[in-house]
Every structure is written in structure tokens, then in C-alpha cells.
Amino acid sequence: MADTVHSKTEPNGRRLIVLSIAALGVVFGDIGTSPLYAVREAFGEHYGLALTEANVLGVLSLIFWSLIVVISLKYLTLVMRADNHGEGGIMALTALVMPSKLRRGHWRYFAVMLGIFGASLLYGDGMITPAISVLSAVEGLEVAAPRLEPFVIPVTVGILLALFLFQSRGTQRVGGLFGPITLTWFTAIAALGVAQIVQNPHVLTALLPHHAVNFFVANGATGFWVLGSVFLVVTGGEALYADMGHFGRTPIRLTWFFVVLPALLLNYFGQGALLLANPAAVENPFYLMVPAWATYPMIALATAATIIASQAVISGSFSLTRQAMRLGFLPRMTVVQTSSEEIGQVYIPTINWILMFATVGLVLGFGSSSRLAAAYGVGVTTDMVFTTLLFAVVAWSLWKWPRILVALLALGLLAVDLSFWGANIVKVPQGGWFPLVVGAVMLLVMTTWYHGRTLLASVLKKDAFPIERFLETLAVSKNPPVRVPGTAVYLTRNPDVVPPALLNNLGYNHVLHERVVIASVETEEIPRVAGHLRGELRPLELGFSRVVLHYGFMEHPSVPDELYAMEELELDPDDTYFVLGREVILAEGRLGLPRWREQLFAVMQRNALPATAFFDLPPDRTFEVGHLVRL
């Protein structure tokens, strides 16, 4: 069996170059700005690590092999094979193992819950990354002119506020600059590293793994805890997988091996060479590599690079939210398409404001990138552990790889992942609790919504009236309802039963339209559905028709456009009306969930975006019929 099913071919030629440059700005922004703080944190006062040649070479060796094993081997070689029709990311990976019916107690249920918790943790990452990235760039002002230190926090907050306020306009106009700016950034940090390495080429011996081994032997437990800061060099690795759907494997791999990895290694090793020559530079080795005349330009370039990195993480949060909505794990929210050309560029106001207030709060609360580094890593390492486990499930259950091979790969990767996780978990009291709390809250919201909707559907099913039996009853009725001109489209979850809105409307008004379309929308466990597979039409008796529209979890459902495009229906937009059922939830403790979770579900149900907006229904031709549901 093939590892994956592809919906698009890998690019080549000029398009490959264009996509590779674009990928620089979107995919590698987060991992590309880690040199601003990673080495500094590894030798921070909290570890008490002596600044000796052996320790510098040991840390550099750990950095090198972490980038090779976690990014080059795990993500680029193995995990990126697990695409869902070209799309990547933990939600796409979860969809691969998610059955059509999720049953508690089944092993796939636990696998899906791992994926959902991993996705939940990424929201915490979406809050911390902009804060630590922009703050670490602006802190260069302290190096350039110590008197400017009081302005670091206000400037950082101002940049972040502008970034989030700009989201509603989209990045289409400036997105074309992201790649070139990021390419300039990688060129600059590589040049800075080379300038230091040529003065102390001995630092390149850190490529040999025995330096990493000796580091652990010499430093014991302290050496292990330092892994918590070494891990900062691979944060952003999950973005390589998540953005695979936008660029494809080849541009991402090409850019990593020929641009990003060499630039990062040169800069990290350059910082190590500087520390060997001047241990006092540990205060901020990145900016102290910069010549005095270039400090302010480098601060500007670093700020631009961190803004781009933040933009990529924010956009990733929007995309993650849309996928979760389509898969039924979050209630409907307003989704604004900000690009007429790229379907992946969306803006979700609710998520944007939550991220903005949380990010600004983190900057004000922690006050420095060093303190923020304590909050960074716990959520990402946990997410990486879950990714490894889900990859193993896919390799074993879908690809049918030999169990011994899957076990060996999983154990090897987990040994690395759990080492990083163990070194980061001690950061919980210093701030690592934040992404865990965010992840737990989002997991609670997602599972409450999913289980609430599932249980609500089961309650409604008990009172359901099969459509065929309804039509039989209608055909032999001695007092049939009056048929009025026009077409009524009833949206429903289950196309096999009579929508409650139709029954209620018939009971209230005692009329039916001449033509009735029972329409439902189903989200498939693939990113996109081919156009010829979109609509499924089945004519029924007495002017009734049943339509099922299929969408991928990356697509926006525009129901009217699809129905009007179906030639067999022959719908007249001026003579077609849409009727929705709106359940009014009354929580009475009948679902089997704790009462407070039922009330939480009821609140989310009331505040979900109306189906009128979510499905692009025309407001002047849409009616809602209320239906009280006691849970």
C-alpha cells in the first residue's frame, strides 16, 4: 500500500524556486528566529553551567544533532510521508486515524484524543511564539543603547498590537515580501556566524557526537536539564509538517537542506566561537556578534523576521481552528477569506482577539524573553510526542509497515522526544504551566462540543421520522397540506429523516412548497473533495429530493452555489428559499455528561455562528424554525 494519496504533483523548475522562496517566509520563520535566544538560554544563570570549552562544544553538538534527528530525520524524512491528500499538520494526521464513528474505549478513540490534545497545545504556542520572538528581537535595543531598556516592553507591545490589528486585512499584499526578507535574514545570520568561525575554526569539532556524550557525562543532571533550552532550536519544526499542503514536500526539504539548516548551524557555531573567545558575551551572544555599525539594521531585520514568524504561527492558528470546526470539534465561527487566490489564507476574529490579549498579557506578565523561555517548550514537546505516536499508528494501521520496524522507529524517536519533554517539564512552575492550561481548556472545549453534538444527534434521532415513511403517509393522506409555489431547501444533519424544521413548519402553517429539497453537508476526512464528487442527488416522490454535499475539512461550504450548480435540480435562485432548524438547548442532565459540561455545551450552541452565515445562505431568503431540545 502506498504511504499516501496525493491530490497534487510536486513542483519543479521555476515554480519550485518560487515556492521554495515563499516557504522561507511561511514555514521557517519560527525555527529561523531561535538563534536570537537559544544559545543564551542554554548558558543562563538558572542552570549554573560553567562556560568552559567542553561545555560550549557539548551544547553545540547537542544543537547540531537535535536539528538532524528531530527536523531532518523525524519531520522531513518520516512524518511528512503521512500526508492526508497533500495536507499535513496534527489535525490532518488525526483525521487519518479518525474512524467515521468514534467510539469510546476503542484504541482509535485514544489516538484521536491524543491528536486533539496536541492540536489544543498549539494554541498556547500561537500565544507564546509572537511574544518571545518579537520581544527577543526588540531586546537588541538594550545591547545597542542600554538607556533604551525602558522602551523595550512598550515597543514590543506596540508591534504586537499592530500585527494583530492588521490580520483582518490579510497578508496577500505583503506576503510576497516574506520570502525575500527571510532569505535576507538567513543570509545575514550565516554571515555573522562565518565571521566568528574563521577566527576560531576549532568550534567545528562540535559536529562530532562524542562532545554531546561527554557533556552529559561531565555535567550529570545539569546536562540533562540544559536540554530544555537546547530544545528551543527545534521549536517551529511542526510548522514544516503543518504547511506541507501549501508548498509540498520538495520545496520545504530543498529550502531546509540548502538554506535554513546551513544558516542556522553557521550562526549557532558562530555564537559558540564568540563565547570561546569572549565568555562575557553570554549576556546576548547573538547581538554581540553584530558589528557596532550594523546593530540597528540587524535589530530592524530581526524584528521583521520575528513579525513574519509570528504571522505564520497566527495564520496556523486560524487554519487549525477552521479544520477543527469542519471536523466537528469546535462550534461554528466567523471565517473571513482574506485572499481571492489562496484558500488557506483566512481570518477568524474570535481567535485573533484571544491570541492578541494572551500574547500582550504574556509580554507584560513575564517582562523578558528569558523568563518567557520558561513557558516555551512544554506544550511543543508534548505535541511532538503525540505526533510520534500518531505517526506510528498510521505506519502500522494504514501503511501496514512491519510491526518491528514501527516499534523500533517509534521507540527511537520517543527516546529523543521524551528526553526533551522531561527536561522541559521542570519549567512548569516557572511558566510552563501556561501552555498546559491553554491546552487543557481547549481540549475541554473541543471534546465537550464533539460529544455534545454527538449526543444531541442521538437525542434527535429518537424522535426522527424516516423520510420514506413520511412520504408514504403524505401520499395517502385524506387532508394533504396545501402546496405553494417555489422550492424550499431544508438543511439537516441526517438526510434520511424528516428535518424537525419541516415538521414544525408543516404543523404551524399546514403548507408545503411544490418542491422540497432535503440537503445535508458532510465533512470528509480528506482536505478537499473533487468537484465531480461534491453533490449526491436522489429524487424522491411528491416533489421531494435528497441532496448530500461533500466537503473536505480544509474547504468552506457554500451551499447555495453548489445547489444552483446542480443541473438536475434546476433551482431558480429567485424562487428558492432556505429553511433551518435552530435547536434551543435546555440542559437537564440527560446526556450523561456532568451538568456543568452540558451547560457549557448549551452556551457554545447558543453562541455558535448561525448556519445562515456559515453556509453562505442568502439572509433575505432564509428562515429559521426553533426547536426546543431537553438534554
Side-chain angles (χ1 to χ4, degrees):
M1 179 179 178
D3 291 357
T4 54
V5 179
H6 301 293
S7 59
K8 50 189 173 185
T9 58
E10 290 294 329
N12 52 45
R14 184 176 182 276
R15 177 163 174 76
L16 176 60
I17 296 174
V18 172
L19 283 175
S20 297
I21 294 175
L24 272 175
V26 176
V27 179
F28 299 103
D30 189 1
I31 197 170
T33 52
S34 295
L36 286 165
Y37 45 81
V39 174
R40 180 192 68 196
E41 293 307 311
F43 289 98
E45 295 179 356
H46 42 284
Y47 293 123
L49 188 65
L51 197 58
T52 63
E53 177 179 317
N55 285 341
V56 170
L57 295 178
V59 168
L60 291 179
S61 188
L62 287 172
I63 289 174
F64 171 74
W65 288 105
S66 296
L67 290 171
I68 296 300
V69 173
V70 176
I71 306 300
S72 300
L73 175 61
K74 175 182 173 179
Y75 277 100
L76 291 180
T77 304
L78 294 174
V79 175
M80 284 180 70
R81 298 169 68 94
D83 71 288
N84 191 332
H85 291 253
E87 292 293 335
I90 195 164
M91 287 301 293
L93 188 60
T94 301
L96 282 175
V97 302
M98 184 175 177
S100 56
K101 291 185 178 180
L102 197 58
R103 301 192 309 273
R104 290 192 180 189
H106 193 276
W107 67 267
R108 286 186 181 270
Y109 175 84
F110 296 104
V112 170
M113 288 301 105
L114 283 180
I116 297 304
F117 188 32
S120 301
L121 290 168
L122 292 180
Y123 285 99
D125 184 38
M127 298 170 183
I128 297 174
T129 295
I132 191 173
S133 298
V134 176
L135 184 55
S136 62
V138 178
E139 282 174 344
L141 292 173
E142 299 176 0
V143 176
R147 67 180 184 279
L148 296 178
E149 181 180 354
F151 297 97
V152 168
I153 297 298
V155 170
T156 301
V157 170
I159 291 173
L160 290 172
L161 289 175
L163 176 63
F164 283 104
L165 293 174
F166 183 76
Q167 292 303 308
S168 61
R169 301 185 181 184
T171 59
Q172 188 173 11
R173 295 180 182 177
V174 297
L177 298 176
F178 285 2
I181 291 174
T182 310
L183 180 59
T184 303
W185 165 256
F186 282 118
T187 303
I189 66 172
L192 290 175
V194 169
Q196 298 296 325
I197 293 172
V198 295
Q199 298 180 47
N200 194 346
H202 175 67
V203 77
L204 294 176
T205 61
L207 295 172
L208 301 175
H210 74 270
H211 287 290
V213 175
N214 292 339
F215 176 81
F216 287 129
V217 172
N219 292 285
T222 299
F224 178 77
W225 302 132
V226 170
L227 280 177
S229 291
V230 171
F231 178 75
L232 295 173
V233 307
V234 297
T235 55
E238 67 282 356
L240 279 67
Y241 178 44
D243 287 313
M244 183 170 59
H246 292 115
F247 303 101
R249 289 188 189 89
T250 302
I252 293 176
R253 287 173 174 167
L254 186 70
T255 307
W256 169 255
F257 286 111
F258 288 95
V259 178
V260 179
L261 179 60
L264 290 175
L265 290 177
L266 287 172
N267 190 268
Y268 286 130
F269 277 65
Q271 291 188 46
L274 174 64
L275 292 179
L276 290 179
N278 179 19
V282 71
E283 180 183 349
N284 199 323
F286 178 84
Y287 276 114
L288 290 174
M289 282 199 301
V290 182
W293 60 268
T295 301
Y296 286 109
M298 180 54 71
I299 292 173
L301 181 59
T303 302
T306 55
I307 289 174
I308 293 171
S310 302
Q311 177 61 58
V313 173
I314 295 168
S315 297
S317 298
F318 294 157
S319 178
L320 178 67
T321 301
R322 184 177 63 172
Q323 293 179 46
M325 282 192 290
R326 300 296 295 127
L327 288 171
F329 287 101
L330 282 177
R332 294 186 300 266
M333 304 180 206
T334 299
V335 178
V336 180
Q337 187 73 34
T338 59
S339 171
S340 59
E341 299 177 359
E342 175 54 59
I343 192 172
Q345 292 186 10
V346 296
Y347 165 67
I348 302 179
T350 302
I351 300 300
N352 187 64
W353 303 130
I354 291 174
L355 292 179
M356 184 186 75
F357 286 116
T359 299
V360 171
L362 285 169
V363 171
L364 296 176
F366 283 85
S368 74
S369 61
S370 290
R371 287 192 285 271
L372 258 175
Y376 207 21
V378 177
V380 183
T381 51
T382 307
D383 180 75
M384 287 187 173
V385 170
F386 293 164
T387 298
T388 297
L389 293 172
L390 288 173
F391 169 78
V393 170
V394 170
W396 168 65
S397 64
L398 295 184
W399 303 342
K400 307 301 180 184
W401 284 11
R403 292 188 179 184
I404 185 65
L405 175 62
V406 174
L408 290 175
L409 283 174
L411 289 174
L413 295 176
L414 283 174
V416 176
D417 291 338
L418 291 174
S419 295
F420 282 128
W421 183 83
N424 274 281
I425 202 67
V426 297
K427 298 180 181 180
V428 170
Q430 288 77 39
W433 56 267
F434 180 80
L436 295 179
V437 169
V438 172
V441 170
M442 290 304 301
L443 178 65
L444 173 65
V445 169
M446 287 185 174
T447 53
T448 298
W449 180 255
Y450 183 85
H451 291 309
R453 295 295 289 177
T454 302
L455 295 170
L456 173 61
S458 67
V459 171
L460 294 176
K461 189 175 181 179
K462 292 179 182 178
D463 301 324
F465 196 175
I467 186 69
E468 284 79 7
R469 192 157 56 118
F470 172 77
L471 293 176
E472 291 173 1
T473 304
L474 192 63
V476 300
S477 175
K478 295 181 179 179
N479 296 304
V482 176
R483 306 299 290 261
V484 297
T487 301
V489 178
Y490 288 86
L491 263 68
T492 181
R493 294 186 191 87
N494 187 350
D496 297 323
V497 301
V498 183
L502 190 154
L503 291 176
N504 290 338
N505 184 45
L506 184 60
Y508 297 149
N509 301 314
H510 309 290
V511 297
L512 282 175
H513 284 79
E514 288 180 346
R515 298 181 61 201
V516 176
V517 178
I518 309 297
S520 66
V521 175
E522 291 190 2
T523 300
E524 304 298 332
E525 294 163 11
I526 57 176
R528 296 176 181 86
V529 173
H532 67 282
L533 299 175
R534 177 81 69 206
E536 183 183 341
L537 171 64
R538 180 185 172 188
L540 303 173
E541 300 175 353
L542 302 178
F544 278 67
S545 300
R546 179 164 53 197
V547 175
V548 179
L549 298 177
H550 301 272
Y551 290 90
F553 59 78
M554 291 289 290
E555 295 181 294
H556 176 70
S558 182
V559 172
D561 290 343
E562 298 297 340
L563 293 178
Y564 295 150
M566 297 181 71
E567 296 180 357
E568 303 93 331
L569 277 178
E570 297 180 348
L571 295 183
D572 179 2
D574 296 327
D575 200 30
T576 301
Y577 302 88
F578 296 86
V579 186
L580 299 171
R582 184 172 182 85
E583 295 94 359
V584 179
I585 306 298
L586 184 61
E588 294 183 343
R590 299 182 182 181
L591 282 182
L593 293 174
R595 185 68 175 269
W596 63 270
R597 288 193 74 181
E598 291 188 1
Q599 292 174 342
L600 173 61
F601 172 70
V603 170
M604 288 192 288
Q605 174 81 2
R606 286 195 299 270
N607 289 279
L609 180 71
T612 308
F614 189 76
F615 293 117
D616 289 343
L617 304 181
D620 57 339
R621 291 188 168 272
T622 302
F623 304 91
E624 286 193 351
V625 180
H627 178 55
L628 180 64
V629 180
R630 299 179 182 273
L631 300 181

